[in-house]
Amino acid sequence: MDDSRYESLKVENIVASGVIADSIDLGEVSKKIPNCELNTKRFPGAVYRIEKPKIASLIFSSGKVVLTGIRKKEDLYEGLSLIVQSLKEAGVDTFDEPKVGITNIVCSYDIGRYINLNKVVITLNLENIEYEPEQFPGLVYRIKDPKIVALLFSSGKIILTGGKTIEDIKRGLDFLEQKLESIL
């Protein structure tokens, strides 16, 4: 599949998680780092937002971290190094090499034409499909390999989630388009 077919494929969010230290004193960190909020009554971790690149990070006392709101893979590494640097400056003994990896990529795609969701339900394997238009206007299609969940809307818009790489997302999209080819 040539890259022009992926023209409307857009990364909406990248989520990464992992470990950056053995332990973190969240009370100290939230006092020393601007834009780092701690409210243990509402959430067990600190929420640290950085503006450039725009990332929200959830930092836990166990040393684990979840980064979200990322739009480009390069921003992940840039943002992670800023977060680690801020934590070091706040007195946290971080790992020299943080063990953080991408856990989910969410993309949007426009197939460019109307999708008859009822026809998709009738034609495709029902065990991989959830469609209850009274509850939600999209059809949920679970692809086994690669393990991707696609939300299809009658407008032709598709949301793909669950991939750990953009290649997973593209393979899932290829599989989906192949299945839809006979229906549309």
Side-chain angles (χ1 to χ4, degrees):
M1 185 184 222
D2 68 280
D3 276 355
S4 67
R5 285 184 66 187
Y6 299 119
E7 227 170 80
S8 73
L9 186 65
K10 180 181 175 209
V11 175
E12 300 293 343
N13 187 23
I14 297 174
V15 179
S17 64
V19 186
I20 57 174
D22 283 326
S23 67
I24 298 172
D25 182 341
L26 296 178
E28 281 299 305
V29 164
S30 64
K31 287 178 198 165
K32 293 178 180 176
I33 299 176
N35 298 326
C36 187
E37 303 161 19
L38 179 64
N39 183 346
T40 52
K41 287 183 177 79
R42 284 187 35 216
F43 186 70
V47 179
Y48 177 32
R49 289 178 173 76
I50 57 174
E51 284 304 312
K52 198 165 183 174
K54 190 170 180 171
I55 295 176
S57 59
L58 308 176
I59 303 169
F60 299 93
S61 59
S62 63
K64 292 185 177 173
V65 67
V66 177
L67 309 173
T68 188
I70 306 160
R71 294 289 180 120
K72 295 187 300 220
K73 201 173 178 179
E74 305 79 49
D75 289 351
L76 164 61
Y77 303 112
E78 185 183 336
L80 180 60
S81 80
L82 286 170
I83 291 162
V84 169
Q85 186 60 40
S86 295
L87 289 170
K88 281 183 179 177
E89 289 169 7
V92 176
D93 184 22
T94 61
F95 297 145
D96 293 333
E97 292 290 321
K99 300 170 191 82
V100 175
I102 294 173
T103 54
N104 186 22
I105 298 175
V106 180
C107 292
S108 62
Y109 182 74
D110 188 348
I111 205 161
R113 56 186 183 259
Y114 171 81
I115 303 173
N116 182 336
L117 298 178
N118 289 316
K119 194 172 180 184
V120 172
V121 170
I122 292 165
T123 312
L124 295 181
N125 184 353
L126 283 175
E127 70 185 48
N128 299 333
I129 291 177
E130 294 170 39
Y131 183 51
E132 296 180 44
E134 303 82 23
Q135 302 289 320
F136 180 68
L139 179 147
V140 179
Y141 187 66
R142 296 181 190 284
I143 302 168
K144 287 191 174 126
D145 184 33
K147 195 173 178 187
I148 301 284
V149 176
L151 305 176
L152 285 71
F153 297 91
S154 59
S155 66
K157 303 276 194 274
I158 299 172
I159 302 294
L160 299 128
T161 186
K164 294 188 184 342
T165 65
I166 200 70
E167 287 72 30
D168 285 349
I169 297 286
K170 287 179 178 179
R171 280 183 36 232
L173 188 56
D174 291 348
F175 178 85
L176 186 62
E177 283 196 320
Q178 185 182 349
K179 289 284 187 187
L180 294 175
E181 201 72 33
S182 60
I183 301 166
L184 301 178

PDB file of all heavy atoms in Angstrom, residues 29 35 40 52 99 107 121 179:
ATOM      1  N   VAL A  29       8.122  16.608  45.270  1.00  0.00           N
ATOM      2  CA  VAL A  29       8.162  16.910  43.833  1.00  0.00           C
ATOM      3  C   VAL A  29       7.106  17.956  43.469  1.00  0.00           C
ATOM      4  O   VAL A  29       7.394  18.915  42.756  1.00  0.00           O
ATOM      5  CB  VAL A  29       7.973  15.605  43.003  1.00  0.00           C
ATOM      6  CG1 VAL A  29       7.630  15.913  41.561  1.00  0.00           C
ATOM      7  CG2 VAL A  29       9.225  14.750  43.086  1.00  0.00           C
ATOM      8  N   ASN A  35       3.699  23.582  37.712  1.00  0.00           N
ATOM      9  CA  ASN A  35       2.768  22.810  36.877  1.00  0.00           C
ATOM     10  C   ASN A  35       2.665  21.344  37.280  1.00  0.00           C
ATOM     11  O   ASN A  35       2.215  20.522  36.493  1.00  0.00           O
ATOM     12  CB  ASN A  35       3.118  22.899  35.391  1.00  0.00           C
ATOM     13  CG  ASN A  35       3.044  24.312  34.873  1.00  0.00           C
ATOM     14  OD1 ASN A  35       2.218  25.098  35.315  1.00  0.00           O
ATOM     15  ND2 ASN A  35       3.915  24.640  33.951  1.00  0.00           N
ATOM     16  N   THR A  40      -4.045  13.906  46.516  1.00  0.00           N
ATOM     17  CA  THR A  40      -4.192  12.472  46.799  1.00  0.00           C
ATOM     18  C   THR A  40      -5.625  12.065  47.145  1.00  0.00           C
ATOM     19  O   THR A  40      -5.946  10.887  47.089  1.00  0.00           O
ATOM     20  CB  THR A  40      -3.240  12.034  47.931  1.00  0.00           C
ATOM     21  OG1 THR A  40      -3.416  12.907  49.049  1.00  0.00           O
ATOM     22  CG2 THR A  40      -1.802  12.048  47.471  1.00  0.00           C
ATOM     23  N   LYS A  52       5.744  22.520  26.073  1.00  0.00           N
ATOM     24  CA  LYS A  52       6.427  22.307  24.805  1.00  0.00           C
ATOM     25  C   LYS A  52       7.452  21.202  24.952  1.00  0.00           C
ATOM     26  O   LYS A  52       8.461  21.429  25.625  1.00  0.00           O
ATOM     27  CB  LYS A  52       7.089  23.612  24.351  1.00  0.00           C
ATOM     28  CG  LYS A  52       7.436  23.605  22.894  1.00  0.00           C
ATOM     29  CD  LYS A  52       7.743  24.994  22.390  1.00  0.00           C
ATOM     30  CE  LYS A  52       8.007  24.929  20.992  1.00  0.00           C
ATOM     31  NZ  LYS A  52       8.225  25.245  19.936  1.00  0.00           N
ATOM     32  N   LYS A  99      12.975   3.443  31.607  1.00  0.00           N
ATOM     33  CA  LYS A  99      12.382   2.320  30.862  1.00  0.00           C
ATOM     34  C   LYS A  99      10.941   2.682  30.510  1.00  0.00           C
ATOM     35  O   LYS A  99      10.007   2.259  31.179  1.00  0.00           O
ATOM     36  CB  LYS A  99      12.451   1.050  31.698  1.00  0.00           C
ATOM     37  CG  LYS A  99      13.872   0.638  32.069  1.00  0.00           C
ATOM     38  CD  LYS A  99      13.870  -0.491  33.092  1.00  0.00           C
ATOM     39  CE  LYS A  99      15.235  -0.747  33.671  1.00  0.00           C
ATOM     40  NZ  LYS A  99      15.602   0.175  34.756  1.00  0.00           N
ATOM     41  N   CYS A 107      -5.310   6.918  16.323  1.00  0.00           N
ATOM     42  CA  CYS A 107      -5.281   7.643  15.050  1.00  0.00           C
ATOM     43  C   CYS A 107      -6.691   7.826  14.512  1.00  0.00           C
ATOM     44  O   CYS A 107      -7.585   7.028  14.804  1.00  0.00           O
ATOM     45  CB  CYS A 107      -4.477   6.864  14.003  1.00  0.00           C
ATOM     46  SG  CYS A 107      -2.726   6.769  14.355  1.00  0.00           S
ATOM     47  N   VAL A 121     -22.235  -5.043   9.479  1.00  0.00           N
ATOM     48  CA  VAL A 121     -22.617  -6.016  10.516  1.00  0.00           C
ATOM     49  C   VAL A 121     -23.077  -7.319   9.881  1.00  0.00           C
ATOM     50  O   VAL A 121     -22.675  -8.407  10.314  1.00  0.00           O
ATOM     51  CB  VAL A 121     -23.732  -5.438  11.435  1.00  0.00           C
ATOM     52  CG1 VAL A 121     -24.306  -6.518  12.343  1.00  0.00           C
ATOM     53  CG2 VAL A 121     -23.206  -4.284  12.250  1.00  0.00           C
ATOM     54  N   LYS A 179     -11.382  -5.728   4.141  1.00  0.00           N
ATOM     55  CA  LYS A 179     -12.684  -6.265   4.533  1.00  0.00           C
ATOM     56  C   LYS A 179     -13.820  -5.413   4.011  1.00  0.00           C
ATOM     57  O   LYS A 179     -14.849  -5.913   3.576  1.00  0.00           O
ATOM     58  CB  LYS A 179     -12.801  -6.337   6.070  1.00  0.00           C
ATOM     59  CG  LYS A 179     -11.943  -7.387   6.702  1.00  0.00           C
ATOM     60  CD  LYS A 179     -12.550  -8.749   6.503  1.00  0.00           C
ATOM     61  CE  LYS A 179     -11.807  -9.806   7.275  1.00  0.00           C
ATOM     62  NZ  LYS A 179     -12.277 -11.137   6.962  1.00  0.00           N
TER      63      LYS A 179
END
